[in-house]
Amino acid sequence: FFNKEGDFNNLTAAAYHKKTHLLVTGFASGIFHLHELPDFNLIHSLSISDQRIASISINCTGDWIAFGCSGLGQLLVWEWQSESYVLKQQGHFNSMVSLAYSPDGQYIVTGGEDGKVKVWNTSSSFCFVTFTEHNSGVTAVTFTSTGYVVLSASLDGTVRAFDLHRYRNFRTFTSPRPSQFSCLAVDSSGEIVAAGSQDSFEIFIWSMQSGRLLDVLAGHEGPISSLSFNPMKCVLASASWDKTVKLWDMLDSWRTKETLIMSSDVLVVAFRPDGKELAVAALNGQITFWDHENAVQTGSIEGRHDLQMGRKELDKITAKQAAKGKSFTTLCYSADGQSILAGGLSKFVCIYNIKEQILMKKFEISCNYSLDAMEVCEHRSLFFISSPPQDFGFDRRKMTEFGSMALIDEGGGGDEGVAIPLPGVKREIRVTCVRFCPTGRSWAATTTEGLLLYSLDAGLIFDPFELDIDVTPRNIHKTLSQKEYTVAIVMAFKLNEKKLIQEVIEAVPSNEVDVVCSSLPDLYVEKLLEFLASAFETSCHLEFYLIWAHKLLMLHGQKLKTR
């Protein structure tokens, strides 16, 4: 059918729903068609974007159609009968560069090379707002301490502040001469904004309230790579490629309080949450820890071997040699300040214990072999009969007497030849930013594979509480029918099934709520309040739940306060 139309070459995805005889086809131009088979009656035709549709899926009832466009990182769910979107999500077009958690850990903001700033909900994993005001790549993002303002720095020479109440860009900070901003920091009060420049080697300080430029800090002799405000004191730490970390005192009219000399270019600085220690990662792969008050180094971690780089297809040197030039490009302290998270240009993220200076755990970000430098073969042998030890960091089968096959163009001069990839064309795995959640229960990383979240809370579905053999859904329903409401509520909380708890609570007549609340054991009062708090977000029985909350707080408020 599509061959007749001359469209077959452009057809990129298709799905068929057996029950409704619905055929959905997607094309390279971003257009999709809905046909009814076997007569090929066109129901309708629409365009999603100008990128090719990579995959299509239809749900079991045949009402919803999902489309994926890999070029734009787009995911759409379309209800074809009402012609409306059920879901619309889009990731960053290029790789993400930076991320930050909100103070309560509920949201994550990311900035990408596509100039977009996106805010994501950590529980649903969906992006709920995208800011597109920047004209060039975003280099750094952060939240203020209130959690309602997001700041972003960009190579377009602006730092922008976005309001998460009204979703608008309410402040734009610029420098007198255009500068490309490479890093960003905001103090704990949220009043002072600092950004470092990578071309003029200066640090710019603005007031959030007025938007005015307060000061320009000069002194570094190389691009500014990282900035960090001390959470407890008015001190700003700046790292630069000139092999120094400078500490600026805000109260002493931004004078340089201290200059820490490093043995290599400094890539990133981070203060411990209590402000008493400073971590510095340098180009030589070392992480050093400093007591910045006395300018004394307190410890160091040799981290470059933990990055464990693979050997690329076209590399002339072994993986072990290549590791000498590797370093961490992002650091973050855990909430308790006892461990540090570090990532760089490799597929591993490492967690170190600071006191013991040892590697606690190593996370592998990806096992996708289509990325370069992913194969790392361990090669240990007791003895060799005639062959010398070899580096198995890459594919030996491609080695010939003329060198690596990857370097040989096999084409005969025509179009059918295999083009040798330019350097950097085959993507490498990179970790651009890592951040711990303020709650200390999870951490996130922006990588070439996307935004990844790692959590200690596995989100258990079945999580019973003081369960015994008689607590079953059948017995709970039986107790309800006998109008023993308090017992039924306690049993439902023991089973801890959300739907069942909701059913039991909504079965209690509103005039019985007072009696049930007064006879509820203290332990279950807190559980019920937690349930009510989450129910308010979604339930339509608002007044009924307010009666519950009111009665519980009137009867048990005093006890809860003392606890």
Side-chain angles (χ1 to χ4, degrees):
F1 174 78
F2 288 115
N3 244 343
K4 269 197 317 220
E5 304 276 319
D7 266 350
F8 189 69
N9 290 345
N10 297 323
L11 181 72
T12 54
Y16 178 61
H17 193 261
K18 212 167 171 182
K19 276 188 201 157
T20 52
H21 307 299
L22 191 71
L23 174 72
V24 187
T25 47
F27 294 86
S29 56
I31 291 171
F32 71 90
H33 296 322
L34 263 69
H35 285 92
E36 191 180 18
L37 295 188
D39 306 329
F40 274 97
N41 299 328
L42 182 67
I43 298 169
H44 66 218
S45 160
L46 275 167
S47 169
I48 294 176
S49 65
D50 53 359
Q51 298 276 334
R52 65 187 282 274
I53 296 172
S55 64
I56 298 174
S57 180
I58 308 173
N59 77 336
C60 53
T61 58
D63 298 331
W64 291 1
I65 304 163
F67 298 96
C69 300
S70 57
L72 288 172
Q74 234 179 2
L75 173 67
L76 303 167
V77 179
W78 172 257
E79 187 171 37
W80 63 274
Q81 281 153 330
S82 66
E83 297 191 22
S84 61
Y85 286 114
V86 178
L87 173 75
K88 219 174 173 182
Q89 284 290 305
Q90 186 172 343
H92 286 278
F93 183 62
N94 289 348
S95 56
M96 298 183 206
V97 174
S98 177
L99 87 123
Y101 268 99
S102 64
D104 59 5
Q106 284 195 342
Y107 306 119
I108 288 178
V109 60
T110 57
E113 288 173 0
D114 56 0
K116 286 181 182 160
V117 175
K118 285 179 172 285
V119 188
W120 309 78
N121 185 319
T122 52
S123 49
S124 70
S125 307
F126 285 140
C127 167
F128 61 90
V129 61
T130 303
F131 299 109
T132 56
E133 279 80 357
H134 284 296
N135 305 325
S136 187
V138 174
T139 51
V141 287
T142 185
F143 269 95
T144 58
S145 52
T146 59
Y148 301 128
V149 175
V150 166
L151 286 152
S152 61
S154 168
L155 297 174
D156 65 5
T158 63
V159 172
R160 293 177 186 270
F162 302 98
D163 174 4
L164 286 188
H165 283 314
R166 298 194 184 86
Y167 298 149
R168 65 194 178 101
N169 173 202
F170 69 94
R171 283 265 184 286
T172 303
F173 307 102
T174 54
S175 53
R177 288 188 310 281
S179 285
Q180 291 190 309
F181 296 123
S182 55
C183 50
L184 175 71
V186 62
D187 78 327
S188 50
S189 67
E191 287 301 314
I192 304 291
V193 180
S197 157
Q198 66 179 30
D199 44 11
S200 67
F201 314 157
E202 292 166 326
I203 300 161
F204 297 90
I205 310 285
W206 295 275
S207 156
M208 174 71 93
Q209 204 71 46
S210 63
R212 274 181 37 234
L213 180 68
L214 301 177
D215 216 330
V216 179
L217 312 183
H220 279 297
E221 293 164 16
I224 315 293
S225 52
S226 178
L227 293 174
S228 179
F229 268 104
N230 188 321
M232 299 300 164
K233 291 185 177 155
C234 306
V235 173
L236 172 70
S238 63
S240 167
W241 294 5
D242 63 7
K243 303 185 183 179
T244 64
V245 172
K246 287 185 186 292
L247 296 161
W248 312 82
D249 194 342
M250 187 161 78
L251 301 178
D252 191 12
S253 59
W254 295 106
R255 281 207 181 87
T256 311
K257 196 177 160 194
E258 203 71 66
T259 300
L260 310 177
I261 310 291
M262 304 291 159
S263 57
S264 183
D265 297 16
V266 188
L267 302 180
V268 57
V269 286
F271 273 106
R272 200 165 71 184
D274 65 359
K276 290 179 181 167
E277 188 178 78
L278 184 70
V280 180
L283 196 60
N284 59 4
Q286 260 194 349
I287 303 171
T288 50
F289 300 97
W290 296 77
D291 167 7
H292 59 89
E293 287 290 317
N294 307 312
V296 177
Q297 185 176 329
T298 55
S300 74
I301 292 169
E302 196 63 61
R304 59 167 181 250
H305 297 298
D306 299 323
L307 279 166
Q308 204 176 339
M309 293 297 297
R311 180 164 171 178
K312 295 182 217 166
E313 254 185 352
L314 306 177
D315 274 357
K316 301 278 198 312
I317 56 171
T318 62
K320 198 171 178 184
Q321 283 294 105
K324 288 183 180 170
K326 296 301 171 251
S327 51
F328 291 111
T329 55
T330 173
L331 291 179
C332 182
Y333 274 96
S334 60
D336 60 5
Q338 288 178 8
S339 39
I340 197 160
L341 197 59
L345 306 183
S346 119
K347 62 173 177 173
F348 292 108
V349 170
C350 306
I351 293 190
Y352 293 99
N353 182 309
I354 297 167
K355 196 176 167 193
E356 306 294 337
Q357 296 178 14
I358 53 167
L359 178 68
M360 286 160 63
K361 186 155 183 169
K362 199 147 83 169
F363 295 89
E364 186 172 1
I365 294 296
S366 175
C367 50
N368 178 355
Y369 282 109
S370 67
L371 294 156
D372 206 351
M374 287 296 286
E375 293 186 59
V376 182
C377 304
E378 293 289 329
H379 185 76
R380 296 191 183 93
S381 183
L382 294 173
F383 58 89
F384 292 88
I385 296 166
S386 61
S387 66
Q390 296 172 326
D391 170 40
F392 277 77
F394 78 127
D395 203 341
R396 278 276 153 195
R397 289 166 297 189
K398 289 187 179 169
M399 289 307 278
T400 67
E401 56 185 307
F402 306 110
S404 171
M405 289 288 280
L407 287 164
I408 299 168
D409 186 359
E410 295 166 0
D415 289 340
E416 73 282 353
V418 179
I420 297 174
L422 291 166
V425 170
K426 189 172 181 187
R427 287 198 318 153
E428 273 180 71
I429 192 90
R430 281 208 317 273
V431 178
T432 47
C433 190
V434 289
R435 289 289 177 266
F436 252 108
C437 179
T439 60
R441 301 293 297 168
S442 60
W443 61 272
T446 47
T447 72
T448 38
E449 297 285 87
L451 174 61
L452 309 178
L453 266 74
Y454 292 78
S455 175
L456 290 172
D457 308 315
L460 290 169
I461 304 301
F462 182 59
D463 182 15
F465 176 77
E466 292 185 351
L467 192 63
D468 56 41
I469 200 159
D470 299 327
V471 179
T472 62
R474 181 184 283 177
N475 283 353
I476 292 171
H477 288 123
K478 194 173 157 189
T479 314
L480 257 187
S481 62
Q482 292 164 356
K483 298 190 176 176
E484 293 179 17
Y485 299 120
T486 310
V487 180
I489 287 173
V490 170
M491 285 169 78
F493 274 112
K494 282 184 174 179
L495 206 57
N496 215 357
E497 286 283 343
K498 204 167 179 184
K499 286 269 187 290
L500 195 60
I501 295 169
Q502 187 177 339
E503 187 187 332
V504 171
I505 287 172
E506 288 177 3
V508 180
S510 55
N511 56 349
E512 295 274 337
V513 171
D514 209 348
V515 181
V516 173
C517 285
S518 60
S519 59
L520 205 62
D522 288 353
L523 194 59
Y524 293 94
V525 170
E526 285 181 39
K527 288 190 170 295
L528 183 52
L529 275 173
E530 273 175 34
F531 173 79
L532 292 175
S534 63
F536 280 130
E537 301 275 323
T538 52
S539 176
C540 52
H541 305 300
L542 199 59
E543 190 185 0
F544 179 66
Y545 279 127
L546 279 170
I547 293 169
W548 271 101
H550 183 247
K551 298 287 182 200
L552 277 174
L553 293 170
M554 290 299 281
L555 290 160
H556 301 277
Q558 212 51 45
K559 268 187 225 162
L560 289 168
K561 259 187 185 173
T562 55
R563 284 172 64 183

